[in-house]
Structures are given as structure tokens and as C-alpha cells.
């Protein structure tokens, strides 16, 4: 295969990989990147036509590994990309992301400083240094790198975002607020800056101002599920329940299976007193995330509230199984015990009020309990089996007729 054909076929594979990445099909994308990397690695790296393609293939491969949670492997592949093109920005970002993801902050800052010796005017590297220094609480260095990133970047929104986040973390919220407003004065059409401003205002308890900032995000055409979720949360917190519902439903139009939006929708329905609607939403959420113990616990609680005792018991049992040994499991177990006693009381009460149910209890206790939607523990079932319901007193005013 000639070099022209090799480059053409490699580009076609890279295009396929890109399409898979857009669909979050990371395994398929990784396979394409590997194919390109292996084909091109056999060729001379002195070829200026081969170097960029090989670097892109290795970088894409590293990105897939990060998305799959294989961070040590991602570091190795990103390092290979950087050995070919040391200043390749995407490879640098992936390399640092993987280091940070593994908690290797000291190694990350050493690497950034090595790169900065050769790229002193690279504002993105200064921003990386600021982030890492802030994590290490090297505040003086972090602020110096922030100042350089702001000066070198021109009218870029990202340095203002990061600077505000770092200043807020440092406890300088007023300074962060002023810096964001300055950034918005220079870049008024940046949805990212308005969003960051809204988050900061929310954290400061300025909910109405935060909503105005998020409204500006929407006006700038950045209508996303995350924006709708945050606006729904704020409206819910300050009692604008109908507005909260509107935002959440808009978000779900864009992402019908968003766990966060569905969870929030269920909560909003509860705020509106619509328990059964909240339960229906939670059932949708369970189908999406069946192994999440918190969601199972919420489902159990809602079943409990509407009197679906059997379903509540099963959901509490699933919570315990999924969160074994945790405080959540202990709480679920305590509620199960209370619910079991409550059901037992309900059975006895109903047996005194309902002669048909009492007769069925005498004949076939398990079938009678199942028919009424009860699900009792083994100990409570033993109590039922050892009770002579024919001797139970009848409630005053209750018909004494038995059905044979």
C-alpha cells in the first residue's frame, strides 16, 4: 500500500471512530483508533504526513480509555502521542486528566511546569497549573497562574470560569463574583460565564439573581438538560413549583432518561401533593437505574405512602441487598420492621371489620394476605398461622355475616 492510500484509509478509520465517539460507543471507537495506530506505527515517523494522523489516533485511543475508566493505560497511550508531538494540546489535556483522575496531583504539576518552560505563553497550561495548585492549596502560585492565563488568553471565557471557581474555593466569593461580572462585561454572549455566575449566586443564596443569570443562558441559545435541571432545583427550593415543573419537563424533552431530572420531577410531584404521579416517575427511574440503592429506597417510601405494602417491602429488601452494611441499609431495615408491625396490625383490624377477609384468613392465610396486598415477614406470618381468627372479636357495628 502506497503512502497516499495508507493516509486515505487511515483518515477513513479516524472518521468512523469520530462517529462512534459522538454516539458514546467507546469500544468501537477504540478499535478504529488502534487499527490506525498500528498501521501507521510501522511507517517512518519522519514523514510529516504520518505524524499528525498517528498522534490523532493515539490521542483518540487515550480518550476512549479515559471514558472507559482505564486511566493508567490512557496515560501510557497519551505519553506515546506526546513523544511524537510534544506540544499537541489534546494529548496534553488527556495526559493531565488521567493523572488527576488517579489523584497524582504532584506528578501533574511537575509535568505542567516542564511544559511551561518551553511554552511560557500557553494560557491553557497556566490554567492547568492554577487548577492543580489550587487543589494542592498552593494559593499564591495558583493566583499567579490565573493572572497569566487571564492576560494571555484575550477574550476567552474559560480563565474567568476557572478563576471564579478557585477564588470561591479559597473563600473569596465576593472577589469571584466581581471577576465573573468583569468577564461578562468583556464577553457578554458567553453562556458559560452566565452559567458560572448563576451557580455562584445560587451558592451565595441569591436565588432570584441566579435564576436571572440562567435565563440569560437560555436566551443565548444554550438550552440544555443541565440548565433546566439547575433552574428546576432553584424554583423548587424557593417555592415556584409550577415553574420548576415547567423547567424539568423541558429538560426531559431533551433527555427523557435523565436520572437527575426524573428524580427531581418525582420530588416536585410530591411538593404538589401528587404522590401517585411521583411514584410513576420513580418507577421509570428504577427501570433506568435498577441497581441504585437510593432510588430503590425512594421507590419503597413512595409505595409505603400510597399503601402498596408488598411493593414497599420488596423495594426496601432490594435496598438492603444493594447497600449491604451501609447506614441506608440499616434505615431500610428499621422501616421494614415498623412496616411489618403496621401490616400485622392492619391484618387484625381488617379481620375484625371484614367477615369475608376473616373467613379467607381461616381457610388460606397466605392467599388472603396476597389478595389484600400484604407481604409479611416470616415471624409475622407465624403469628397469623398461630391465630384462631374464628375467635377474633367483631368490631361494633360490623355485620357478623360469614360467607361459606
Amino acid at each position: 500500500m502506497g503512502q497516499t492510500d495508507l493516509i486515505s484509509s487511515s483518515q477513513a478509520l479516524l472518521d468512523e471512530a469520530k462517529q462512534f465517539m459522538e454516539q458514546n460507543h467507546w469500544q468501537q471507537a477504540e478499535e478504529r483508533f488502534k487499527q490506525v495506530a498500528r498501521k501507521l506505527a510501522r511507517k517512518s515517523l519522519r514523514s510529516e504526513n504520518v505524524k499528525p494522523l498517528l498522534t490523532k489516533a493515539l490521542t483518540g485511543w487515550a480518550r476512549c480509555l479515559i471514558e472507559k475508566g482505564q486511566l493508567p493505560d490512557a496515560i501510557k497511550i497519551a505519553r506515546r502521542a506526546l513523544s511524537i508531538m510534544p506540544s499537541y494540546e489534546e494529548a496534553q489535556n488527556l495526559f493531565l486528566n488521567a493523572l488527576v483522575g488517579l489523584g497524582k496531583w504532584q506528578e501533574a504539576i511537575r509535568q505542567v511546569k516542564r511544559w511551561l518552560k518551553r511554552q511560557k505563553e500557553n494560557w491553557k497550561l497556566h490554567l492547568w497549573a492554577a487548577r492543580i495548585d489550587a487543589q494542592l492549596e498552593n494559593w499564591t502560585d495558583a493566583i499567579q497562574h490565573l493572572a497569566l492565563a487571564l492576560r494571555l488568553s484575550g477574550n476567552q471565557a474559560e480563565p474567568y470560569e476557572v478563576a471564579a471557581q478557585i477564588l470561591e474555593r479559597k473563600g473569596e466569593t465576593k472577589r469571584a463574583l466581581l471577576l465573573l461580572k468583569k468577564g461578562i462585561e468583556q464577553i457578554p454572549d458567553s453562556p458559560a460565564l452566565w452559567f458560572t455566575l448563576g451557580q455562584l449566586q445560587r451558592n451565595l443564596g441569591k436565588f432570584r439573581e441566579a435564576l436571572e443569570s440562567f435565563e440569560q443562558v437560555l436566551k443565548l441559545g444554550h438550552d440544555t438538560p443541565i440548565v433546566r435541571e439547575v433552574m428546576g432545583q432553584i424554583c423548587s427550593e424557593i417555592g415556584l413549583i409550577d415553574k420548576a415543573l415547567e423547567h424539568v419537563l423541558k429538560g426531559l424533552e431533551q433527555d427523557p432518561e435523565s436520572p437527575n431530572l426524573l428524580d427531581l420531577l418525582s420530588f416536585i410531584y410530591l411538593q404538589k401533593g401528587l404522590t401517585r404521579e411521583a411514584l410513576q416517575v420513580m418507577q421509570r427511574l428504577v427501570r433506568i437505574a435498577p441497581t441504585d440503592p437510593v432510588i430503590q429506597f425512594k421507590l419503597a417510601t413512595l409505595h409505603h405512602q400510597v399503601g402498596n405494602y408488598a411493593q414497599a417491602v420488596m423495594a426496601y429488601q432490594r435496598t438492603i441487598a444493594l447497600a449491604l452494611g451501609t447506614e441506608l441499609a440499616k434505615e431500610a431495615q428499621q422501616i421494614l420492621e415498623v412496616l411489618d408491625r403496621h401490616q400485622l396490625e392492619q391484618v387484625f383490624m381488617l379481620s375484625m371489620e371484614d367477615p369475608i377477609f376473616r373467613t379467607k384468613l381461616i381457610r388460606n392465610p397466605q392467599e388472603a394476605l396476597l389478595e389484600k396486598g400484604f407481604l409479611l415477614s416470616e415471624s409475622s406470618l407465624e403469628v397469623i398461622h398461630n391465630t384462631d381468627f374464628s375467635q377474633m372479636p367483631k368490631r361494633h357495628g360490623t355485620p357478623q355475616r360469614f360467607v361459606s
Side-chain angles (χ1 to χ4, degrees):
M1 182 184 291
Q3 190 175 85
T4 302
D5 291 337
L6 177 66
I7 289 172
S8 177
S9 63
S10 297
Q11 187 59 58
L13 284 169
L14 290 176
D15 290 341
E16 282 184 36
K18 185 179 178 182
Q19 290 175 357
F20 280 124
M21 289 173 73
E22 288 171 356
Q23 297 164 9
N24 294 332
H25 295 161
W26 303 108
Q27 185 60 44
Q28 294 93 321
E30 182 186 353
E31 288 166 5
R32 301 307 186 279
F33 286 127
K34 279 184 182 179
Q35 281 182 262
V36 176
R38 286 166 181 164
K39 282 203 301 186
L40 296 180
R42 294 194 291 266
K43 298 297 176 182
S44 171
L45 293 181
R46 293 178 181 178
S47 168
E48 292 305 315
N49 292 328
V50 169
K51 275 186 180 182
L53 285 177
L54 180 55
T55 305
K56 283 182 181 179
L58 291 168
T59 303
W61 185 357
R63 166 82 188 282
C64 293
L65 290 168
I66 287 177
E67 293 292 344
K68 292 165 62 181
Q70 298 171 233
L71 301 184
D73 291 336
I75 288 172
K76 292 176 187 175
I77 301 302
R79 187 178 274 122
R80 281 177 59 188
L82 289 166
S83 69
I84 300 165
M85 295 179 68
S87 300
Y88 193 59
E89 187 178 289
E90 190 176 350
Q92 289 178 340
N93 284 334
L94 290 169
F95 186 77
L96 292 172
N97 270 311
L99 285 176
V100 167
L102 290 169
K104 296 184 177 183
W105 298 96
Q106 294 289 357
E107 187 178 341
I109 193 64
R110 285 195 297 270
Q111 182 60 67
V112 172
K113 287 180 178 178
R114 281 196 290 269
W115 286 335
L116 277 171
K117 286 179 182 178
R118 298 192 301 269
Q119 304 173 58
K120 294 179 181 179
E121 303 294 301
N122 188 324
W123 66 268
K124 291 190 176 181
L125 286 178
H126 282 293
L127 210 52
W128 262 113
R131 288 191 190 100
I132 299 167
D133 276 324
Q135 176 65 31
L136 297 171
E137 297 189 356
N138 299 330
W139 298 115
T140 302
D141 289 346
I143 298 301
Q144 286 176 352
H145 284 296
L146 280 176
L148 284 166
L150 285 164
R151 179 173 64 80
L152 293 168
S153 67
N155 283 344
Q156 297 291 331
E158 190 180 1
Y160 286 102
E161 290 178 69
V162 175
Q165 291 161 1
I166 289 174
L167 288 171
E168 184 185 14
R169 184 177 171 192
K170 192 172 181 287
E172 299 184 24
T173 49
K174 289 184 179 178
R175 189 177 171 191
L177 202 60
L178 288 171
L179 186 65
L180 271 178
K181 289 180 177 177
K182 180 182 176 183
I184 286 171
E185 284 177 11
Q186 295 185 21
I187 322 166
D189 58 351
S190 168
L193 287 184
W194 282 106
F195 184 88
T196 307
L197 177 62
Q199 290 282 53
L200 183 56
Q201 289 166 330
R202 181 190 181 185
N203 293 344
L204 290 170
K206 299 181 177 183
F207 299 117
R208 302 279 177 175
E209 292 178 31
L211 279 177
E212 290 175 8
S213 295
F214 290 121
E215 287 288 355
Q216 193 63 37
V217 175
L218 295 178
K219 287 177 184 176
L220 290 167
H222 193 73
D223 190 347
T224 68
I226 291 175
V227 176
R228 293 292 183 175
E229 179 190 335
V230 174
M231 295 183 78
Q233 288 170 346
I234 295 173
C235 289
S236 172
E237 288 167 10
I238 62 177
L240 300 175
I241 309 303
D242 289 336
K243 198 69 180 173
L245 181 60
E246 179 186 325
H247 285 303
V248 172
L249 292 176
K250 286 281 187 183
L252 285 168
E253 286 177 12
Q254 301 171 56
D255 186 359
E257 295 193 344
S258 164
N260 290 344
L261 284 168
L262 287 169
D263 191 25
L264 182 54
L265 178 60
S266 180
F267 179 72
I268 290 168
Y269 279 142
L270 278 177
Q271 285 182 299
K272 291 173 72 66
L274 302 171
T275 309
R276 292 195 177 276
E277 285 81 353
L279 174 59
Q280 289 172 359
V281 174
M282 195 56 61
Q283 287 169 326
R284 282 175 61 192
L285 186 50
V286 165
R287 287 193 289 272
I288 294 167
T291 59
D292 188 320
V294 174
I295 294 172
Q296 289 289 348
F297 185 86
K298 290 178 179 179
L299 176 68
T301 303
L302 288 169
H303 274 307
H304 193 170
Q305 286 181 18
V306 300
N308 298 339
Y309 298 129
Q311 293 93 326
V313 168
M314 288 187 287
Y316 281 128
Q317 289 172 340
R318 284 194 295 270
T319 302
I320 294 166
L322 291 167
L324 208 57
T326 66
E327 288 301 316
L328 183 66
K330 290 176 187 176
E331 186 177 350
Q333 183 60 49
Q334 289 170 356
I335 295 172
L336 260 182
E337 291 167 6
V338 172
L339 180 56
D340 192 52
R341 289 196 297 271
H342 177 68
Q343 286 188 94
L344 195 57
E345 291 169 4
Q346 290 288 310
V347 170
F348 282 110
M349 189 72 69
L350 194 56
S351 73
M352 292 187 286
E353 293 178 342
D354 186 339
I356 297 174
F357 178 59
R358 184 166 59 251
T359 302
K360 288 183 177 180
L361 273 174
I362 295 167
R363 291 177 174 173
N364 190 332
Q366 287 187 318
E367 185 179 306
L369 293 170
L370 186 63
E371 189 178 286
K372 288 292 184 181
F374 293 112
L375 185 60
L376 299 175
S377 66
E378 290 296 324
S379 59
S380 291
L381 282 173
E382 190 175 345
V383 172
I384 295 293
H385 284 295
N386 292 331
T387 299
D388 184 355
F389 284 95
S390 65
Q391 299 301 313
M392 289 291 291
K394 286 74 175 174
R395 283 183 64 120
H396 179 70
T398 303
Q400 300 301 303
R401 177 174 58 85
F402 282 81
V403 176
S404 59

